[in-house]
Every structure is written in structure tokens, then in C-alpha cells.
Amino acid sequence: LVTAVDHLDGAMAQLTSIYPLAVFILIALD
Amino acid sequence: AQVLELVFRSAASSTIPTLLLESFMMGVLLAFIPIGSYLLYVKSRSYMPFVSILWMVLVTMLTHWALSLRDLESTLAGRSMGFSTSLIDLAHAANASKAAAHGEHRAHHAHLGDGAVFGSVFVFGQAWRHLLPLVTETVLFGFASSLFAIAAYIVVRRSCSHWRSRFDLIIPAMVSLMYTLSLIHWAIALRCFTVLPKYAMSGAPLSFQTHIKGLDISLLIVFSLNAVMSDSIVLWRMCVVWERTSSVRMIGAVLLIATLGLNIANIVVLHRIMVYTRWFPRNSRDSEIITTYGLTPVGLAAAFLSLATNLFATVLVGTKAWIHRRQVSHQFGPKTRRTLAGRVMELLVESGVVYTAIWLLYCISFFRQITT
């Protein structure tokens, strides 16, 4: 987690695509 | 120094590829095990022993991965060999051994020496700076890939049964495009990392800087596209929840155009700084390794506008969810079960809060390191 929080510059490109994917799946599961 | 170079070569060619593969698998497991456990739990409580075994496997794998990462960090920093691999410490050590060999006392005059080994250690050092962001990105890329596979399965299954119109496929299409962009981003980040050890091992002159700058700009373009698309989805959802109220639509359009403009301006400014080495006011406290938004005022404006967009959309969706809940309890009594629309809006608010918090952390990281 410390590595992830310290390196958001590497993480953000993935997080921007994870966000809509996760919401889509959560709505489908609900 | 020669032993150090051999250790670095071995890390670059065998240890790090294994760690990256393990990181990708960690991301895959972190997505599949919680979702799989939830589905098994909903289906039947008799699957509980199987679910607990899955979680034990996840914890074991996580521990193994974290220890491997720590081990690699300690090797690269030289702790496992009992010395520091920082270039200044190495120069001191080299000068001390030279001085001892010549019977002189010049140890306090540290310079980098003339050997190709120091050049190679320096380029390896540049590669290791890119390693931790790449490991983080690889875990998240594994996570995104699993989510993409699950979303694709849901879309294919639904398309066989009920899609009302082609309009329903816009979000899955945008999500696929965003996943493709994040795949390209990961591939470029991997390229950034693999190019440097190759230069270090070949002993070529330090011409890698131009190559790396080009890759850095490509990373920025792909990331900016993803950030703008993510904001557009958030704003579109806000407009849908507010049933396309004209004032909300207008604010949404203004925010989207401003975000797009600032992102393009940031790419242009950083391209001028990196490629043409032009002078622009810079943020000296930026702690990013891969330069994105933190270096220039234009980039900072783009990042803070994205934060404001997400916050604004989340607050508006939250307000609508609250109005909806009040209307439902007013019409059908306070003990009415939550409606489908209410549940979806709550989900949008909760996910919006998490995403906004991540953007806030990201914006803070432009001015100070989050952890010590």
C-alpha cells in the first residue's frame, strides 16, 4: 500500500479505467 | 562495482520479470477472489469452507509478493550486500580504495571516476527509479484486466438476452477504449523500464535521455486521454441522474471543455520543456517520477479541475439521491425498501467519494510525498 500511495504517478492511468469498470460491474452484481 | 553491475544485470534479466509477473497475478487474484467469494456466498452458504480457502491462498500470495518486493528493494539499495548503492557513496568508496592503494588520503574528494562501470551503475539507477511505479501499475493493470474480462462476460451475456438499444452499448464501448488505453500505458511504462537496463548493459553513450523523454510524452498523452474520458463519464452520469436539466448540462459541458483544453495545453507545455528544453515556471516540490500534472501550473490546473469535476458531480448525484429517498419515504412510508434507482445512485455516490479521495491524494502528492 505504501508503494502504491507513493507512486500514484504510475497508478493513476490504471485507476482511471478501473473506476468505470468497477462501477459497471458493481451495478450489474447489485 | 563490477560485482554490483553483475547483481544489477541479474536483477534486470531474471528477478524483476518474475516479480512483474507475480504483481500482475496479484492484481488478477485481488479482483477475482472477492467477486468469486461474493457470488459463491450469494449462491449457497455451503460454499463457505471453499471461500475461506480462497482467502487463505490470497493472503499467502500477498505475503509472498510483499516479501519478494522488499527483498528486491534491499538488493537494489545494497543493504543485502552490506553497503549503500547511492552514486555518492559508491564514489566515496571508490576514492577511498584508490587512496588506500596509492597511500594517499583523498577519500573526502568524491568524484564519479572515469570507468564505464559508473556510467552503467548510473543508468541502472535511472531504471530502478521507474521500477516501483511500474510494479504498482502492473498490479493495477492485472486488476483492470480481470474487471475488463468480467465486464465483457456481462456485456456478452446481456447482448444475448436484452439490450434495449445501441445507446446502451456506449458505456461498454467507452470502457473498452479506456482499458485499451491503460494497456498501451502499461506497455509504454514497461518499455521505459526495459530500455534503461539495455543501455546500461550495452555500455552505449548516454543518449537514452531523448528516447526516455519521447516515451514520457507518450505516457502523458495516453493518461490525459483516460483522465478526460473518465471525467466525461462522471459528468454524463450526473446529467442522466438530473434527467438532463439544462443548467446541469451546461455546467457539465463547460467543465468538460475546460478539462480537455487544460489537458491539451499541459501536453504542449511539457513537450516544449522536455524536447526543446524551453523555460516555464515549474513546481519544485513535485515528487513524481513519471511527469504528468505536477510540474507546471497548467498541469496543476488540469489536475485540480479534474478533482473539482469529480467532487461537483459526486455532490450533485448525492443531492439527487437524497431528494429521491425523501420522495420515496414521503410517498410510501419511512420503512419502504430502497428502490433500484436509489441503490444505483448510492453506488455512484460511494464510488465517486472513493475516486475523488484518490484524486485528492494525487493532487497532494504534487506538493509533498504522501508517506515518509
Side-chain angles (χ1 to χ4, degrees), chain B residues 281-346:
Chain B
R282 294 175 198 203
N283 170 26
S284 56
R285 284 174 294 174
D286 182 23
S287 64
E288 291 176 299
I289 292 169
I290 303 162
T291 310
T292 53
Y293 292 119
L295 193 64
T296 63
V298 182
L300 288 170
F304 278 93
L305 187 67
S306 267
L307 174 67
T309 302
N310 281 293
L311 189 66
F312 179 69
T314 307
V315 168
L316 276 196
V317 175
T319 312
K320 191 72 179 176
W322 181 69
I323 292 170
H324 177 82
R325 195 192 287 172
R326 273 192 65 183
Q327 280 173 345
V328 168
S329 64
H330 185 69
Q331 283 175 359
F332 303 105
K335 287 186 179 173
T336 319
R337 286 189 66 192
R338 288 182 304 161
T339 60
L340 179 67
R343 285 215 306 270
V344 169
M345 278 195 272
E346 278 171 25

Side-chain angles (χ1 to χ4, degrees), chain B residues 43-120:
Chain B
K43 210 172 182 183
S44 165
R45 302 280 150 90
S46 61
Y47 287 118
M48 278 311 281
F50 182 63
V51 169
S52 39
I53 290 171
L54 280 179
W55 281 91
M56 274 159 63
V57 168
L58 179 65
V59 170
T60 312
M61 294 284 290
L62 254 176
T63 313
H64 182 267
W65 172 77
L67 289 174
S68 306
L69 185 60
R70 213 173 70 156
D71 184 43
L72 181 69
E73 268 193 283
S74 125
T75 304
L76 298 183
R79 284 194 297 275
S80 53
M81 293 173 279
F83 59 88
S84 161
T85 53
S86 93
L87 215 53
I88 294 169
D89 291 341
L90 286 176
H92 271 295
N95 283 350
S97 74
K98 257 188 204 170
H102 294 97
E104 296 165 12
H105 299 285
R106 290 187 302 157
H108 57 282
H109 294 298
H111 64 88
L112 300 183
D114 52 0
V117 175
F118 272 114
S120 139

Side-chain angles (χ1 to χ4, degrees), chain B residues 78-347:
Chain B
R79 284 194 297 275
S80 53
M81 293 173 279
F83 59 88
S84 161
T85 53
S86 93
L87 215 53
I88 294 169
D89 291 341
L90 286 176
H92 271 295
N95 283 350
S97 74
K98 257 188 204 170
H102 294 97
E104 296 165 12
H105 299 285
R106 290 187 302 157
H108 57 282
H109 294 298
H111 64 88
L112 300 183
D114 52 0
V117 175
F118 272 114
S120 139
V121 168
F122 172 73
V123 184
F124 270 122
Q126 296 288 311
W128 305 150
R129 287 183 76 229
H130 282 81
L131 179 64
L132 290 180
L134 180 65
V135 167
T136 310
E137 188 171 353
T138 308
V139 175
L140 289 168
F141 177 61
F143 191 79
S145 301
S146 313
L147 293 189
F148 182 71
I150 295 166
Y153 173 73
I154 293 169
V155 170
V156 169
R157 235 182 79 175
R158 277 197 192 166
S159 65
C160 299
S161 55
H162 61 284
W163 281 108
R164 284 188 299 277
S165 65
R166 278 186 189 177
F167 190 71
D168 288 354
L169 282 170
I170 286 181
I171 289 293
M174 268 190 95
V175 161
S176 306
L177 182 60
M178 288 176 76
Y179 172 72
T180 311
L181 286 173
S182 63
L183 168 71
I184 295 170
H185 191 279
W186 178 77
I188 300 171
L190 189 66
R191 177 80 189 140
C192 260
F193 177 74
T194 53
V195 154
L196 290 165
K198 268 187 195 163
Y199 272 107
M201 286 192 251
S202 68
L206 299 179
S207 59
F208 67 88
Q209 306 262 7
T210 328
H211 196 149
I212 291 295
K213 278 174 190 166
L215 291 173
D216 273 352
I217 291 287
S218 319
L219 283 176
L220 177 68
I221 293 171
V222 175
F223 174 40
S224 302
L225 274 172
N226 248 2
V228 170
M229 282 206 282
S230 177
D231 283 1
S232 68
I233 290 182
V234 167
L235 291 170
W236 176 76
R237 278 180 347 198
M238 177 187 80
C239 292
V240 169
V241 165
W242 276 90
E243 289 150 357
R244 297 178 188 169
T245 313
S246 58
S247 54
V248 173
R249 275 167 79 175
M250 207 165 9
I251 297 170
V254 168
L255 282 172
L256 189 61
I257 291 166
T259 308
L260 187 66
L262 281 173
N263 271 280
I264 293 171
N266 183 42
I267 293 168
V268 172
V269 167
L270 278 181
H271 183 259
R272 285 186 179 174
I273 289 177
M274 285 183 184
V275 178
Y276 300 114
T277 55
R278 296 263 170 85
W279 188 87
F280 276 92
R282 294 175 198 203
N283 170 26
S284 56
R285 284 174 294 174
D286 182 23
S287 64
E288 291 176 299
I289 292 169
I290 303 162
T291 310
T292 53
Y293 292 119
L295 193 64
T296 63
V298 182
L300 288 170
F304 278 93
L305 187 67
S306 267
L307 174 67
T309 302
N310 281 293
L311 189 66
F312 179 69
T314 307
V315 168
L316 276 196
V317 175
T319 312
K320 191 72 179 176
W322 181 69
I323 292 170
H324 177 82
R325 195 192 287 172
R326 273 192 65 183
Q327 280 173 345
V328 168
S329 64
H330 185 69
Q331 283 175 359
F332 303 105
K335 287 186 179 173
T336 319
R337 286 189 66 192
R338 288 182 304 161
T339 60
L340 179 67
R343 285 215 306 270
V344 169
M345 278 195 272
E346 278 171 25
L347 203 72

